[in-house]
Amino acid sequence: MTDTLSPRPGLAPARTPGPPQPRVPDRPRRLGPPAGCARPLRGARALQRHRLEVAALLLATAVLYVWNLGASGWANAFYSAAAQAGSQDWTAWFFGSSDAANAITVDKPPASLWVMGLSARIFGLSSWSVLVPQALMGVGTVWLVYLAVRRAAAPATADARLAHRAGLLAGAVMALTPVAVLMFRFNNPDALLVLLMTAAAYAVLRSIQDARLRWLLFAGALLGFGFLTKQLQVLLVVPGFALAYLLAAPAAAGKRILHLLSAGAAMAVAAGWWLAAVELIPAANRPYIGGSQNNSILELTLGYNGLGRLNGEETGSAGGGNGWGTPGLFRLFNSEFGGQIAWLLPSVLLLGAGLLWLGRRAPRTDAVRASVIIWGSWVAVTGLTFSFMAGIIHPYYMVALAPGVAGLAGLGGVLLWQRRDQPVAAAVLAVAIVAAGAMASELLGRTATFVPWLRWVVLLGSLTAAGLVLGAAAPGLKEASGPVKRASAVMARTTAGLAVVAALAGPLAYSLSTAATAHSGSIVSAGPAVSGRGGAGLPPAFGGATAATGNATNAVGVGRGQGAGGAGGMGGLLGASTPSSALVTALQTDAGTYTWAAAVVGSNNAAGYQLATQLPVMAVGGFNGTDPAPTLAQFQQYVADGKIHYFIAGRMMQGESGSDDAAQIAAWVQANFTAQTVGGTTVYLLAG
């Protein structure tokens, strides 16, 4: 019998082993659907039922992620404008430019924009063509979580039905994580990042179980494209993936190390080709790299999007340091982050620890241990990084934890349930159920007006389910027969259902609230309003402000908070502008004569005008208005060459570091051109 199916203490298949089978070293039997089950499905009808249940899960996920999707409009206009630019110009698409005239890129690599840009090019630009790809990524992520958990659970349970249920539970947890509902209905890069990391986790597990190097190389390539989505964040899952393969792959130690080096090379190639292209193409022939101070993708990678996120020293940041909250071990449970992801965090850590203990004598190649390492290290490394990073962090970042939480929940919940007659398994499972109920009660209690009765129902349900689980471990119950055995089976199904409902009722309520709410801007949060959380999910330093301050006639006002209103519907750092019809008409007049219909400080300001006019609008200074792009001299040359039609006054937050070229440009425009008001917005005619 192969390593993954051999009887063993703790996580041995819950049945009497058959006659010994020939041992095949270092090459486990390939696992087909349902993967590696020692007890086959009883007929095609059962297999068909499983397929229908998976289809129902994916269909329900699709409905949750797509329903009323258009209500969010452009969602994050910063990325929608870049998608619009990419749909018009292939250079803008390749580099991830904010505008089709290629003044500056967004402050991330362009992989997620490639998807949105192609969708907009094929189906036309609309909120649906931008957002539906994100929802489909969510459905794909749920499916991959199901496949990965089912594959690992199959040899341990020796029961296709239980392996299938483990996958279904994991998929449901993934689908109903509130921050996942938020991000798969939004157009930030996080959706693609999570899909790629989950696919890589599945590929690593396939490589371990199938002894196929090609799956490990595929995982490396997926992680490389994850780097092109959100740069160094993808590396947080790499240590766990490498450790799982190093410990569990069915190959000699030297070969395992060589395989990991090959996967690292695949990752470097998948990410490096684009980085090399950006670095090798002369700066004059490409857009400025947004978020950097020296027009360098390497600086952006290692600085603003790299170490700066950890130590809080992001040059050009408008928040910085403790402006993004106080780092600490329990940060993920506070009012900003708790409702996004914390519902099952304590529980899944307990379940993972329980699996490791019960399988402590399992063979080195045990698939369950490898999976716990994959999912558990994902949660631990990413969670600790988010907890202690001193730089820019937003509530929606928590979506990166969702697959790890889901994997541990499905695998641990079902495997420990199968062995609930063992005292250790029953105790761990019971404590995990109570922890889920207590956590849900605490999180729901922070929203006093949001289904206030639910917290008590969840808590009572979890306590009841935990008690029933402990009762199942009573001596002699397993050997019962007749009516007692039938009653025990009914009680077992009731207990399992109650435990699942108690664990998922809170996340479900938050998820439905999230799907029913329109979300837009650069900082968004899942669920209802929570006491202690800043407005629109803003960090404490911003005080939850909803509008910037400053005079509407100033080109650049210095304020704190997000700009979303005010005269002329001006935008700001976090919210896009909403131009009047009169201003749209003015910008579109003779637009073909100019390279840029307008210039305005800040990417979100520019995004609103660009999406309204479908014309290139220069985002002076990039996202925060703190990039030296363009410099004052470059801007003056553009004006002298007649390339910019208007300069639009806008409200912006003053950055704490970075270039002040944007402020210099605004001051120069005010001093040399006459202000006029169009549709309630102050503009300066630069040419024409």
Side-chain angles (χ1 to χ4, degrees):
M1 186 170 286
T2 64
D3 283 346
T4 55
L5 295 178
S6 58
R8 60 188 186 274
L11 295 182
R15 65 183 183 90
T16 303
Q21 299 296 320
R23 182 181 178 87
V24 182
D26 296 338
R27 185 65 178 269
R29 177 165 56 90
R30 292 195 66 183
L31 305 175
C37 293
R39 187 174 75 189
L41 286 171
R42 296 177 179 176
R45 184 174 299 177
L47 178 60
Q48 184 66 21
R49 183 175 66 251
H50 286 190
R51 290 173 175 171
L52 290 175
E53 289 171 349
V54 174
L57 171 65
L58 298 181
L59 179 60
T61 302
V63 171
L64 179 62
Y65 290 176
V66 174
W67 176 76
N68 200 31
L69 192 59
S72 293
W74 296 117
N76 192 337
F78 174 58
Y79 293 116
S80 292
Q84 178 265 337
S87 71
Q88 293 184 342
D89 182 81
W90 285 113
T91 299
W93 178 83
F94 179 80
F95 289 105
S97 299
S98 290
D99 65 274
N102 294 296
I104 190 171
T105 70
V106 300
D107 56 3
K108 300 289 186 297
S112 66
L113 297 175
W114 291 342
V115 178
M116 289 185 284
L118 288 176
S119 177
R121 187 177 283 268
I122 295 170
F123 300 106
L125 181 69
S126 69
S127 61
W128 286 91
S129 65
V130 168
L131 296 178
V132 168
Q134 320 305 314
L136 296 179
M137 291 175 194
V139 176
T141 301
V142 170
W143 182 56
L144 287 168
V145 167
Y146 164 82
L147 292 176
V149 170
R150 188 195 69 170
R151 169 168 285 273
T157 60
D159 188 333
R161 294 173 301 172
L162 282 177
H164 167 69
R165 289 168 186 169
L168 286 181
L169 178 58
V173 171
M174 181 69 221
L176 295 180
T177 300
V179 71
V181 177
L182 173 71
M183 280 293 99
F184 289 123
R185 294 173 57 89
F186 209 65
N187 60 324
N188 279 18
D190 302 75
L192 180 59
L193 176 69
V194 170
L195 173 65
L196 291 171
M197 291 193 300
T198 306
Y202 173 78
V204 170
L205 183 60
R206 283 292 301 264
S207 180
I208 291 172
Q209 289 188 292
D210 292 0
R212 298 282 186 178
L213 175 60
R214 65 190 182 196
W215 279 105
L216 191 64
L217 297 177
F218 183 47
L222 290 168
L223 293 171
F225 275 96
F227 184 93
L228 295 183
T229 303
K230 214 174 177 188
Q231 293 186 307
L232 295 182
Q233 185 176 332
V234 75
L235 299 183
L236 295 179
V237 301
V238 171
F241 291 2
L243 180 61
Y245 189 85
L246 189 62
L247 291 179
K255 184 175 290 187
R256 278 176 268 153
I257 294 174
L258 183 61
H259 288 176
L260 287 174
L261 292 175
S262 300
M267 181 171 65
V269 171
W273 68 273
W274 186 83
L275 298 178
V278 174
E279 285 295 304
L280 293 175
I281 293 175
N285 297 330
R286 60 166 173 78
Y288 186 94
I289 303 302
S292 72
Q293 295 296 306
N294 297 304
N295 199 8
S296 167
I297 188 62
L298 296 180
E299 179 203 340
L300 177 66
T301 301
L302 300 176
Y304 185 79
N305 286 336
L307 294 178
R309 300 287 172 130
L310 298 178
N311 59 25
E313 298 178 1
E314 309 100 330
T315 302
S317 169
N322 288 337
W324 304 102
T326 303
L329 183 61
F330 299 104
R331 179 191 237 176
L332 303 190
F333 299 93
N334 68 21
S335 59
E336 294 290 328
F337 303 102
Q340 313 300 303
I341 193 62
W343 303 87
L344 298 178
L345 267 180
S347 299
V348 299
L349 293 176
L350 287 169
L351 294 174
L355 288 177
L356 291 177
W357 173 257
L358 292 176
R360 63 193 182 279
R361 295 190 181 94
R364 178 183 65 80
T365 55
D366 179 54
V368 173
R369 183 193 292 122
S371 293
V372 172
I373 292 173
I374 288 172
W375 302 122
S377 64
W378 185 326
V379 172
V381 175
T382 303
L384 289 173
T385 301
F386 287 168
S387 295
F388 289 100
M389 60 190 286
I392 297 173
I393 184 171
H394 301 307
Y396 64 79
Y397 285 12
M398 301 305 107
V399 70
L401 287 163
V405 171
L408 288 176
L411 197 64
V414 170
L415 293 187
L416 293 179
W417 170 259
Q418 187 188 28
R419 290 156 181 83
R420 62 192 182 279
D421 59 316
Q422 301 177 21
V424 172
V428 172
L429 188 58
V431 174
I433 293 171
V434 172
M439 194 73 247
S441 180
E442 164 63 21
L443 295 174
L444 290 168
R446 297 174 182 177
T447 57
T449 60
F450 180 71
V451 286
W453 52 267
L454 183 59
R455 62 178 304 201
W456 305 114
V457 172
V458 167
L459 184 59
L460 179 61
S462 65
L463 291 172
T464 303
L468 293 173
V469 168
L470 291 175
L477 189 59
K478 184 178 180 181
E479 290 76 21
S481 60
V484 175
K485 184 175 182 179
R486 289 192 293 272
S488 176
V490 173
M491 184 58 67
R493 289 193 292 270
T494 303
T495 302
L498 182 60
V500 171
V501 170
L504 296 184
L508 172 61
Y510 256 57
S511 294
L512 293 176
S513 172
T514 301
T517 304
H519 293 88
S520 62
S522 295
I523 301 180
V524 290
S525 296
V530 174
S531 176
R533 184 198 296 169
L538 299 178
F542 293 88
T546 57
T549 61
N551 191 312
T553 61
N554 290 337
V556 179
V558 178
R560 296 189 65 77
Q562 69 175 22
M570 298 181 196
L573 175 63
L574 305 179
S577 52
T578 306
S580 65
S581 58
L583 181 56
V584 170
T585 299
L587 295 179
Q588 291 176 335
T589 301
D590 298 326
T593 307
Y594 311 99
T595 304
W596 292 279
V600 62
V601 175
S603 295
N604 268 312
N605 281 322
Y609 299 118
Q610 182 168 302
L611 291 168
T613 62
Q614 302 292 293
L615 298 170
V617 175
M618 179 186 292
V620 177
F623 186 88
N624 295 318
T626 55
D627 297 344
T631 63
L632 174 59
Q634 289 171 331
F635 187 86
Q636 290 171 333
Q637 187 61 53
Y638 290 145
V639 172
D641 294 341
K643 292 185 176 182
I644 307 173
H645 195 185
Y646 287 98
F647 184 87
I648 304 175
R651 299 169 175 175
M652 280 299 302
M653 291 176 57
Q654 182 65 47
E656 298 179 355
S657 60
S659 169
D660 64 350
D661 280 279
Q664 294 180 31
I665 289 170
W668 177 76
V669 169
Q670 286 180 299
N672 292 276
F673 295 88
T674 301
Q676 56 183 286
T677 301
V678 179
T681 300
T682 301
V683 301
Y684 299 84
L685 182 64
L686 303 183

